[in-house]
Amino acid sequence: SGIEPLPKKLFSYSAFVREPLDRIISHYYFRRGYRGDPFHSICVRFNLTESVPRIEDQDNAQTQFLGGRVGTPDTETFETAKRNIRDMKFVGIYEKLDESVVLLHHYLGSDEILVKLPQRKVDYLKKKMTTYLSNEEKEKLKKYV
């Protein structure tokens, strides 16, 4: 369900953000392949552009999470998300994961990378969808990023 306004003294927060369209595509294929996901049946029954409008947490999901609310983000959610991300000690970028992990270790004061990054598998279906996503499909999905 996301995070509320951040307590100032108890914790240091960090987040990794991702290019929104890539996140939607990846999340769709994860849900499609994971039977335990509550939206699995929707993603199996409908294609990418048909499933996204049927799943509440797909509408600007990173803003929902960072703003602490599920559903189409309103102005208050957007402002909370902006405030929360400004208050975080570290924000990494998924598309720059290797570099972000190095920066995170630097922020934590470690000279040695303590986390070994796994070999990331290239998801053939995601790659294919990203490569062959039509302009019409991209336009349909833009309102959810």
Side-chain angles (χ1 to χ4, degrees), residues 35-115:
R35 293 182 189 276
D37 189 279
F39 299 105
H40 170 77
S41 62
I42 291 173
C43 292
V44 168
R45 188 174 345 139
F46 298 100
N47 70 31
L48 175 64
T49 57
E50 294 169 336
S51 72
V52 170
R54 292 174 164 82
I55 302 173
E56 185 176 37
D57 71 359
Q58 288 289 76
D59 192 356
N60 205 340
Q62 291 176 121
T63 300
Q64 289 183 50
F65 180 74
L66 292 166
R69 291 171 185 80
V70 175
T72 302
D74 57 13
T75 303
E76 181 182 350
T77 306
F78 183 66
E79 292 302 320
T80 301
K82 288 191 325 187
R83 184 174 51 255
N84 284 344
I85 210 160
R86 274 193 306 267
D87 291 344
M88 288 184 177
K89 297 297 182 188
F90 178 81
V91 178
I93 300 170
Y94 182 81
E95 289 76 17
K96 302 273 187 184
L97 184 60
D98 297 340
E99 296 93 331
S100 293
V101 169
V102 170
L103 288 171
L104 178 59
H105 280 280
H106 177 73
Y107 166 74
L108 295 172
S110 174
D111 292 333
E112 183 180 341
I113 302 299
L114 303 175
V115 175

Coordinates of all heavy atoms in Angstrom, one line a residue, residues 35-115:
R35 N 1.1 -17.1 -10.3 CA -0.3 -17.4 -10.0 C -0.7 -16.9 -8.6 O -1.9 -16.7 -8.4 CB -0.4 -19.0 -9.9 CG -0.3 -19.6 -11.3 CD -0.5 -21.1 -11.2 NE -0.2 -21.8 -12.4 CZ -1.0 -21.9 -13.5 NH1 -2.2 -21.4 -13.4 NH2 -0.6 -22.6 -14.5
G36 N 0.2 -16.5 -7.8 CA -0.2 -16.0 -6.4 C -0.5 -14.5 -6.5 O -1.0 -14.0 -5.5
D37 N -0.3 -13.9 -7.6 CA -0.6 -12.4 -7.6 C -2.2 -12.3 -7.7 O -2.8 -13.0 -8.5 CB 0.0 -11.8 -8.9 CG -0.1 -10.3 -8.9 OD1 -1.2 -9.8 -9.2 OD2 0.8 -9.6 -8.5
P38 N -2.7 -11.3 -7.0 CA -4.2 -11.2 -7.0 C -4.8 -10.8 -8.4 O -5.9 -11.0 -8.6 CB -4.5 -10.1 -5.9 CG -3.2 -9.5 -5.6 CD -2.1 -10.4 -6.0
F39 N -3.9 -10.3 -9.2 CA -4.4 -9.8 -10.6 C -3.9 -10.8 -11.7 O -4.0 -10.5 -12.9 CB -3.9 -8.4 -10.9 CG -4.5 -7.4 -9.9 CD1 -3.7 -6.9 -8.9 CD2 -5.8 -7.1 -9.9 CE1 -4.2 -6.0 -8.0 CE2 -6.3 -6.2 -9.0 CZ -5.5 -5.6 -8.0
H40 N -3.4 -12.0 -11.3 CA -2.9 -12.9 -12.3 C -4.0 -13.3 -13.3 O -3.7 -13.3 -14.5 CB -2.5 -14.2 -11.5 CG -2.2 -15.4 -12.4 ND1 -1.0 -15.4 -13.2 CD2 -2.9 -16.5 -12.7 CE1 -1.0 -16.6 -13.9 NE2 -2.2 -17.2 -13.6
S41 N -5.2 -13.5 -12.9 CA -6.3 -14.0 -13.8 C -6.6 -12.9 -14.8 O -6.9 -13.2 -16.0 CB -7.5 -14.4 -13.1 OG -8.1 -13.3 -12.3
I42 N -6.5 -11.6 -14.4 CA -6.8 -10.5 -15.3 C -5.7 -10.5 -16.4 O -5.9 -10.3 -17.6 CB -6.8 -9.2 -14.6 CG1 -8.1 -9.1 -13.7 CG2 -6.8 -8.0 -15.6 CD1 -8.2 -7.9 -12.8
C43 N -4.4 -10.6 -16.0 CA -3.3 -10.5 -16.9 C -3.2 -11.8 -17.8 O -2.7 -11.7 -18.9 CB -2.0 -10.4 -16.1 SG -1.9 -8.8 -15.3
V44 N -3.8 -12.9 -17.4 CA -3.8 -14.0 -18.3 C -4.9 -13.9 -19.3 O -4.8 -14.2 -20.5 CB -4.0 -15.3 -17.5 CG1 -4.3 -16.5 -18.3 CG2 -2.7 -15.6 -16.7
R45 N -6.1 -13.3 -18.8 CA -7.2 -13.2 -19.7 C -7.1 -12.1 -20.7 O -7.6 -12.1 -21.8 CB -8.5 -13.0 -18.9 CG -9.7 -13.1 -19.8 CD -11.1 -13.0 -19.0 NE -11.1 -13.3 -17.6 CZ -11.8 -12.6 -16.8 NH1 -12.6 -11.6 -17.2 NH2 -11.8 -12.8 -15.5
F46 N -6.4 -11.0 -20.3 CA -6.4 -9.8 -21.2 C -4.9 -9.5 -21.6 O -4.0 -9.8 -20.8 CB -6.9 -8.6 -20.5 CG -8.4 -8.7 -20.1 CD1 -8.8 -9.1 -18.8 CD2 -9.4 -8.5 -21.0 CE1 -10.1 -9.3 -18.5 CE2 -10.7 -8.7 -20.7 CZ -11.1 -9.1 -19.4
N47 N -4.7 -8.8 -22.7 CA -3.4 -8.4 -23.1 C -3.0 -7.2 -22.3 O -3.7 -6.7 -21.5 CB -3.3 -8.2 -24.6 CG -4.1 -6.9 -25.1 OD1 -4.2 -5.9 -24.3 ND2 -4.6 -6.9 -26.3
L48 N -1.8 -6.7 -22.5 CA -1.2 -5.7 -21.8 C -2.1 -4.4 -21.7 O -2.4 -3.9 -20.6 CB 0.2 -5.3 -22.3 CG 0.9 -4.1 -21.7 CD1 1.2 -4.4 -20.2 CD2 2.2 -3.8 -22.5
T49 N -2.5 -3.9 -22.9 CA -3.2 -2.6 -22.9 C -4.6 -2.8 -22.4 O -5.2 -1.9 -21.9 CB -3.2 -2.0 -24.3 OG1 -3.8 -3.0 -25.2 CG2 -1.9 -1.6 -24.8
E50 N -5.2 -4.0 -22.4 CA -6.5 -4.3 -21.9 C -6.5 -4.5 -20.4 O -7.4 -4.2 -19.7 CB -7.1 -5.5 -22.6 CG -7.4 -5.3 -24.0 CD -7.8 -6.6 -24.7 OE1 -7.4 -7.7 -24.3 OE2 -8.5 -6.5 -25.8
S51 N -5.4 -5.0 -19.9 CA -5.3 -5.4 -18.4 C -5.0 -4.1 -17.6 O -5.6 -4.0 -16.5 CB -4.3 -6.4 -18.1 OG -3.0 -5.9 -18.3
V52 N -4.2 -3.2 -18.0 CA -3.8 -2.1 -17.2 C -5.0 -1.3 -16.7 O -5.0 -1.0 -15.5 CB -2.7 -1.2 -18.0 CG1 -2.5 0.1 -17.3 CG2 -1.4 -2.0 -18.2
P53 N -5.9 -0.9 -17.5 CA -7.1 -0.1 -17.0 C -7.9 -0.9 -15.9 O -8.6 -0.3 -15.2 CB -7.9 0.2 -18.2 CG -7.1 -0.1 -19.4 CD -6.1 -1.1 -18.9
R54 N -7.8 -2.2 -15.9 CA -8.6 -3.0 -15.0 C -7.9 -3.2 -13.6 O -8.5 -3.8 -12.7 CB -8.8 -4.4 -15.6 CG -9.8 -4.4 -16.8 CD -9.9 -5.8 -17.4 NE -11.0 -5.9 -18.3 CZ -11.0 -5.4 -19.6 NH1 -9.9 -4.9 -20.1 NH2 -12.1 -5.6 -20.3
I55 N -6.7 -2.8 -13.5 CA -5.9 -3.0 -12.2 C -5.6 -1.6 -11.6 O -4.9 -0.8 -12.1 CB -4.6 -3.7 -12.5 CG1 -4.9 -5.1 -13.2 CG2 -3.8 -3.9 -11.3 CD1 -3.7 -5.8 -13.7
E56 N -6.2 -1.4 -10.4 CA -6.2 -0.1 -9.8 C -4.8 0.4 -9.5 O -4.5 1.6 -9.7 CB -7.0 -0.2 -8.5 CG -7.1 1.2 -7.8 CD -8.0 1.1 -6.5 OE1 -7.9 0.0 -5.8 OE2 -8.7 2.0 -6.3
D57 N -3.9 -0.5 -9.1 CA -2.6 0.0 -8.7 C -1.6 0.2 -9.9 O -0.5 0.6 -9.7 CB -1.9 -1.0 -7.7 CG -1.5 -2.3 -8.2 OD1 -1.7 -2.5 -9.4 OD2 -0.9 -3.1 -7.5
Q58 N -2.1 0.1 -11.1 CA -1.3 0.3 -12.3 C -1.3 1.8 -12.7 O -0.5 2.2 -13.5 CB -1.8 -0.5 -13.5 CG -1.4 -2.0 -13.3 CD 0.1 -2.3 -13.4 OE1 0.8 -2.0 -12.5 NE2 0.4 -2.8 -14.6
D59 N -2.2 2.6 -12.2 CA -2.3 4.0 -12.6 C -1.3 4.8 -11.9 O -1.5 5.2 -10.7 CB -3.8 4.5 -12.3 CG -4.0 5.8 -13.0 OD1 -3.1 6.4 -13.6 OD2 -5.2 6.3 -12.9
N60 N -0.2 5.1 -12.5 CA 0.9 5.9 -11.9 C 1.3 5.3 -10.6 O 1.3 5.9 -9.6 CB 0.5 7.3 -11.8 CG 1.7 8.3 -11.8 OD1 2.8 7.9 -11.5 ND2 1.4 9.5 -12.0
A61 N 1.7 4.0 -10.7 CA 2.0 3.2 -9.5 C 3.1 3.7 -8.6 O 3.0 3.7 -7.4 CB 2.3 1.8 -9.9
Q62 N 4.1 4.3 -9.2 CA 5.2 4.8 -8.3 C 4.7 6.0 -7.5 O 5.1 6.1 -6.4 CB 6.4 5.2 -9.2 CG 7.1 3.9 -9.8 CD 8.2 4.2 -10.7 OE1 9.3 3.7 -10.4 NE2 8.0 4.9 -11.8
T63 N 3.9 6.8 -8.1 CA 3.3 7.9 -7.3 C 2.4 7.4 -6.2 O 2.4 7.9 -5.1 CB 2.6 8.9 -8.2 OG1 3.5 9.4 -9.2 CG2 2.0 10.1 -7.5
Q64 N 1.6 6.4 -6.6 CA 0.7 5.8 -5.5 C 1.6 5.3 -4.4 O 1.3 5.6 -3.2 CB -0.1 4.6 -6.1 CG -1.2 5.0 -7.1 CD -1.9 3.8 -7.5 OE1 -2.4 3.0 -6.7 NE2 -2.1 3.6 -8.8
F65 N 2.6 4.5 -4.7 CA 3.4 3.9 -3.6 C 4.1 5.0 -2.8 O 4.1 5.0 -1.6 CB 4.5 3.0 -4.2 CG 5.4 2.4 -3.2 CD1 4.9 1.4 -2.4 CD2 6.7 2.8 -3.0 CE1 5.7 0.8 -1.4 CE2 7.5 2.3 -2.0 CZ 7.0 1.3 -1.2
L66 N 4.8 6.0 -3.5 CA 5.5 7.0 -2.8 C 4.6 8.0 -2.0 O 4.9 8.6 -1.0 CB 6.4 7.8 -3.7 CG 7.6 7.0 -4.3 CD1 8.2 7.7 -5.5 CD2 8.6 6.7 -3.2
G67 N 3.3 8.1 -2.5 CA 2.3 9.0 -1.9 C 1.5 8.3 -0.8 O 0.7 8.9 -0.1
G68 N 1.7 6.9 -0.7 CA 1.0 6.2 0.4 C -0.5 5.9 0.1 O -1.2 5.6 1.1
R69 N -0.9 6.0 -1.1 CA -2.4 5.7 -1.4 C -2.5 4.9 -2.6 O -1.7 5.0 -3.6 CB -3.1 7.0 -1.6 CG -3.2 7.8 -0.3 CD -3.8 9.2 -0.5 NE -3.8 10.0 0.7 CZ -2.7 10.6 1.2 NH1 -1.5 10.5 0.6 NH2 -2.8 11.2 2.4
V70 N -3.5 4.0 -2.7 CA -3.8 3.2 -3.8 C -5.0 3.9 -4.6 O -5.9 4.3 -4.0 CB -4.2 1.8 -3.4 CG1 -4.6 1.0 -4.6 CG2 -3.0 1.1 -2.8
G71 N -4.9 3.9 -5.9 CA -5.9 4.5 -6.7 C -5.3 5.6 -7.5 O -4.2 6.1 -7.3
T72 N -6.0 6.1 -8.5 CA -5.6 7.2 -9.3 C -5.1 8.4 -8.4 O -5.9 8.9 -7.6 CB -6.7 7.7 -10.3 OG1 -7.1 6.6 -11.1 CG2 -6.2 8.8 -11.2
P73 N -3.8 8.7 -8.5 CA -3.3 9.8 -7.6 C -4.0 11.1 -7.9 O -4.2 11.6 -9.0 CB -1.8 9.9 -8.0 CG -1.5 8.6 -8.7 CD -2.8 8.2 -9.4
D74 N -4.3 11.8 -6.8 CA -4.8 13.1 -6.8 C -3.7 14.1 -6.4 O -2.6 13.7 -6.2 CB -6.0 13.3 -5.9 CG -5.7 12.9 -4.4 OD1 -4.5 12.8 -4.1 OD2 -6.7 12.8 -3.6
T75 N -4.0 15.4 -6.4 CA -3.0 16.4 -6.1 C -2.3 16.1 -4.7 O -1.1 16.2 -4.6 CB -3.6 17.8 -6.1 OG1 -4.2 18.0 -7.4 CG2 -2.6 18.9 -5.9
E76 N -3.1 15.7 -3.7 CA -2.5 15.5 -2.4 C -1.5 14.3 -2.4 O -0.5 14.4 -1.9 CB -3.6 15.2 -1.4 CG -3.1 15.0 0.0 CD -4.2 14.6 1.0 OE1 -5.4 14.8 0.6 OE2 -3.9 14.2 2.1
T77 N -1.9 13.3 -3.1 CA -1.0 12.1 -3.3 C 0.3 12.5 -4.0 O 1.4 12.1 -3.6 CB -1.7 10.9 -4.0 OG1 -2.9 10.6 -3.4 CG2 -0.8 9.7 -4.1
F78 N 0.1 13.3 -5.1 CA 1.3 13.7 -5.8 C 2.2 14.6 -4.9 O 3.4 14.4 -4.9 CB 0.8 14.5 -7.1 CG 2.0 14.9 -7.9 CD1 2.7 14.0 -8.6 CD2 2.2 16.3 -8.1 CE1 3.8 14.4 -9.4 CE2 3.3 16.7 -8.9 CZ 4.0 15.8 -9.6
E79 N 1.6 15.5 -4.2 CA 2.5 16.4 -3.3 C 3.1 15.5 -2.2 O 4.3 15.8 -1.9 CB 1.6 17.5 -2.7 CG 1.1 18.5 -3.8 CD 2.3 19.2 -4.5 OE1 3.3 19.5 -3.9 OE2 2.1 19.4 -5.7
T80 N 2.4 14.6 -1.6 CA 3.0 13.7 -0.6 C 4.2 12.9 -1.2 O 5.2 12.8 -0.6 CB 2.0 12.8 0.0 OG1 0.9 13.5 0.6 CG2 2.6 11.9 1.1
A81 N 4.0 12.4 -2.4 CA 5.0 11.6 -3.1 C 6.3 12.5 -3.3 O 7.4 12.0 -3.0 CB 4.5 11.0 -4.4
K82 N 6.1 13.7 -3.8 CA 7.2 14.6 -4.0 C 7.9 14.9 -2.7 O 9.2 14.9 -2.6 CB 6.7 15.9 -4.6 CG 6.3 15.8 -6.1 CD 6.1 17.1 -6.8 CE 5.6 18.2 -6.1 NZ 5.2 19.4 -6.9
R83 N 7.2 15.2 -1.6 CA 7.8 15.5 -0.3 C 8.5 14.2 0.2 O 9.7 14.4 0.7 CB 6.7 15.9 0.6 CG 7.2 16.3 2.0 CD 6.1 16.9 2.9 NE 4.9 16.0 3.0 CZ 3.7 16.2 2.4 NH1 3.6 17.3 1.7 NH2 2.7 15.4 2.6
N84 N 7.9 13.1 0.1 CA 8.6 11.8 0.5 C 9.9 11.6 -0.2 O 10.9 11.2 0.4 CB 7.6 10.6 0.4 CG 6.6 10.7 1.5 OD1 6.7 11.4 2.5 ND2 5.5 9.9 1.3
I85 N 9.9 11.7 -1.5 CA 11.1 11.4 -2.3 C 12.2 12.5 -2.0 O 13.4 12.1 -1.9 CB 10.8 11.3 -3.8 CG1 11.8 10.3 -4.4 CG2 10.8 12.6 -4.5 CD1 11.4 9.7 -5.7
R86 N 11.8 13.7 -1.7 CA 12.8 14.7 -1.3 C 13.4 14.4 0.1 O 14.5 14.7 0.3 CB 12.1 16.1 -1.2 CG 12.1 16.9 -2.5 CD 11.8 18.3 -2.3 NE 10.5 18.5 -1.6 CZ 9.3 18.7 -2.2 NH1 9.2 18.7 -3.5 NH2 8.3 18.9 -1.4
D87 N 12.6 13.8 1.0 CA 13.0 13.5 2.3 C 13.9 12.2 2.4 O 14.4 11.9 3.4 CB 11.9 13.4 3.3 CG 11.2 14.7 3.5 OD1 11.8 15.8 3.2 OD2 10.1 14.7 4.0
M88 N 13.9 11.4 1.3 CA 14.6 10.1 1.3 C 16.1 10.4 1.3 O 16.6 11.4 0.7 CB 14.2 9.3 0.1 CG 12.9 8.7 0.3 SD 12.5 7.6 -1.1 CE 10.9 7.1 -0.6
K89 N 16.9 9.5 1.9 CA 18.3 9.7 2.0 C 18.9 9.2 0.7 O 20.0 9.7 0.3 CB 18.9 8.9 3.1 CG 18.4 9.3 4.5 CD 18.9 10.8 4.7 CE 18.5 11.2 6.1 NZ 18.7 12.6 6.4
F90 N 18.3 8.3 -0.1 CA 18.8 7.8 -1.3 C 17.7 7.4 -2.2 O 16.7 6.8 -1.8 CB 19.7 6.6 -1.0 CG 20.3 6.0 -2.3 CD1 21.4 6.5 -2.8 CD2 19.7 4.9 -2.9 CE1 22.0 6.0 -4.0 CE2 20.2 4.4 -4.0 CZ 21.4 4.9 -4.6
V91 N 17.8 7.8 -3.5 CA 16.9 7.3 -4.6 C 17.8 6.8 -5.7 O 18.6 7.5 -6.3 CB 16.0 8.5 -5.1 CG1 15.1 8.0 -6.2 CG2 15.2 9.1 -3.9
G92 N 17.6 5.5 -6.0 CA 18.3 4.9 -7.1 C 17.4 4.7 -8.3 O 16.2 4.9 -8.2
I93 N 18.0 4.5 -9.4 CA 17.3 4.4 -10.7 C 17.5 2.9 -11.2 O 18.6 2.5 -11.4 CB 17.8 5.4 -11.7 CG1 17.6 6.8 -11.2 CG2 17.1 5.2 -13.1 CD1 18.3 7.9 -11.9
Y94 N 16.4 2.2 -11.4 CA 16.5 0.8 -11.8 C 17.3 0.6 -13.1 O 18.0 -0.3 -13.2 CB 15.1 0.2 -12.0 CG 15.1 -1.2 -12.3 CD1 15.3 -2.2 -11.4 CD2 15.0 -1.6 -13.7 CE1 15.4 -3.5 -11.7 CE2 15.1 -3.0 -14.0 CZ 15.2 -3.9 -13.0 OH 15.3 -5.2 -13.3
E95 N 17.1 1.5 -14.1 CA 17.8 1.4 -15.3 C 19.3 1.6 -15.2 O 20.1 1.3 -16.1 CB 17.2 2.4 -16.4 CG 15.8 2.1 -16.9 CD 14.7 2.4 -15.9 OE1 14.9 3.1 -14.9 OE2 13.6 1.8 -16.1
K96 N 19.7 2.2 -14.1 CA 21.1 2.4 -13.7 C 21.4 1.6 -12.4 O 22.0 2.1 -11.5 CB 21.4 3.9 -13.5 CG 21.1 4.7 -14.7 CD 22.3 4.7 -15.7 CE 22.0 5.7 -16.8 NZ 23.1 5.7 -17.8
L97 N 20.9 0.4 -12.3 CA 21.0 -0.4 -11.1 C 22.4 -0.6 -10.6 O 22.7 -0.3 -9.4 CB 20.3 -1.8 -11.3 CG 20.2 -2.6 -10.0 CD1 19.4 -1.9 -8.9 CD2 19.6 -4.0 -10.4
D98 N 23.3 -1.0 -11.5 CA 24.7 -1.2 -11.0 C 25.3 0.1 -10.4 O 25.9 0.0 -9.3 CB 25.5 -1.7 -12.2 CG 25.1 -3.1 -12.7 OD1 24.4 -3.8 -12.0 OD2 25.4 -3.4 -13.9
E99 N 25.1 1.2 -11.1 CA 25.7 2.4 -10.7 C 25.0 2.9 -9.4 O 25.6 3.4 -8.4 CB 25.5 3.5 -11.7 CG 26.3 3.3 -13.0 CD 25.5 2.6 -14.1 OE1 24.6 1.8 -13.7 OE2 25.8 2.8 -15.2
S100 N 23.7 2.7 -9.3 CA 22.9 3.1 -8.1 C 23.3 2.3 -6.9 O 23.5 2.8 -5.8 CB 21.4 2.9 -8.3 OG 20.9 3.8 -9.3
V101 N 23.6 1.0 -7.0 CA 24.1 0.2 -5.9 C 25.5 0.7 -5.4 O 25.7 0.8 -4.2 CB 24.1 -1.3 -6.3 CG1 24.9 -2.1 -5.2 CG2 22.7 -1.8 -6.4
V102 N 26.3 1.0 -6.4 CA 27.7 1.6 -6.0 C 27.5 2.9 -5.2 O 28.1 3.1 -4.2 CB 28.5 1.8 -7.3 CG1 29.8 2.6 -6.9 CG2 28.9 0.5 -7.9
L103 N 26.6 3.8 -5.7 CA 26.3 5.0 -5.0 C 25.7 4.8 -3.6 O 26.1 5.5 -2.6 CB 25.4 5.9 -5.8 CG 26.0 6.5 -7.0 CD1 25.0 7.2 -7.9 CD2 27.1 7.5 -6.7
L104 N 24.8 3.8 -3.5 CA 24.2 3.5 -2.2 C 25.3 3.0 -1.2 O 25.3 3.4 -0.1 CB 23.2 2.4 -2.4 CG 22.5 1.9 -1.1 CD1 21.8 3.1 -0.4 CD2 21.5 0.8 -1.4
H105 N 26.2 2.1 -1.7 CA 27.3 1.7 -0.8 C 28.2 2.9 -0.4 O 28.6 2.9 0.8 CB 28.1 0.6 -1.5 CG 27.5 -0.7 -1.4 ND1 27.5 -1.5 -0.3 CD2 26.8 -1.4 -2.3 CE1 26.9 -2.6 -0.5 NE2 26.4 -2.6 -1.7
H106 N 28.4 3.8 -1.3 CA 29.2 5.0 -1.0 C 28.5 5.8 0.1 O 29.1 6.2 1.1 CB 29.5 5.8 -2.2 CG 30.2 7.1 -2.0 ND1 31.5 7.1 -1.7 CD2 29.7 8.4 -1.9 CE1 31.9 8.4 -1.5 NE2 30.8 9.1 -1.6
Y107 N 27.2 6.0 -0.1 CA 26.4 6.7 0.9 C 26.4 6.1 2.2 O 26.5 6.7 3.3 CB 24.9 6.8 0.4 CG 24.0 7.3 1.5 CD1 24.0 8.6 1.9 CD2 23.1 6.4 2.1 CE1 23.1 9.0 2.9 CE2 22.3 6.7 3.1 CZ 22.3 8.1 3.5 OH 21.4 8.5 4.5
L108 N 26.4 4.7 2.3 CA 26.5 4.0 3.5 C 27.9 3.9 4.1 O 28.0 3.4 5.2 CB 25.9 2.5 3.3 CG 24.5 2.4 2.9 CD1 24.1 1.0 2.5 CD2 23.6 2.9 4.0
G109 N 28.8 4.5 3.4 CA 30.2 4.5 3.9 C 31.0 3.3 3.7 O 32.0 3.1 4.4
S110 N 30.6 2.5 2.8 CA 31.3 1.2 2.5 C 32.2 1.4 1.3 O 31.8 1.9 0.3 CB 30.3 0.1 2.3 OG 31.0 -1.1 1.9
D111 N 33.5 1.0 1.5 CA 34.4 1.0 0.4 C 34.3 -0.2 -0.5 O 34.7 -0.2 -1.6 CB 35.9 1.1 0.9 CG 36.2 2.4 1.5 OD1 35.5 3.4 1.2 OD2 37.1 2.4 2.4
E112 N 33.7 -1.3 0.0 CA 33.5 -2.5 -0.7 C 32.1 -2.8 -1.0 O 31.2 -2.5 -0.1 CB 34.1 -3.6 0.2 CG 34.0 -5.0 -0.4 CD 34.6 -6.1 0.6 OE1 35.3 -5.7 1.5 OE2 34.3 -7.2 0.3
I113 N 31.8 -3.2 -2.2 CA 30.4 -3.6 -2.5 C 30.0 -4.8 -1.8 O 30.6 -5.9 -2.0 CB 30.2 -3.7 -4.0 CG1 30.7 -2.5 -4.8 CG2 28.8 -4.1 -4.4 CD1 29.9 -1.2 -4.4
L114 N 29.1 -4.7 -0.9 CA 28.7 -5.9 0.0 C 27.6 -6.7 -0.7 O 27.4 -7.8 -0.2 CB 28.2 -5.4 1.3 CG 29.2 -4.5 2.1 CD1 28.6 -3.9 3.4 CD2 30.5 -5.3 2.4
V115 N 27.0 -6.2 -1.7 CA 25.9 -6.9 -2.3 C 26.4 -7.3 -3.7 O 26.9 -6.5 -4.5 CB 24.6 -6.0 -2.5 CG1 23.6 -6.8 -3.3 CG2 24.1 -5.6 -1.1

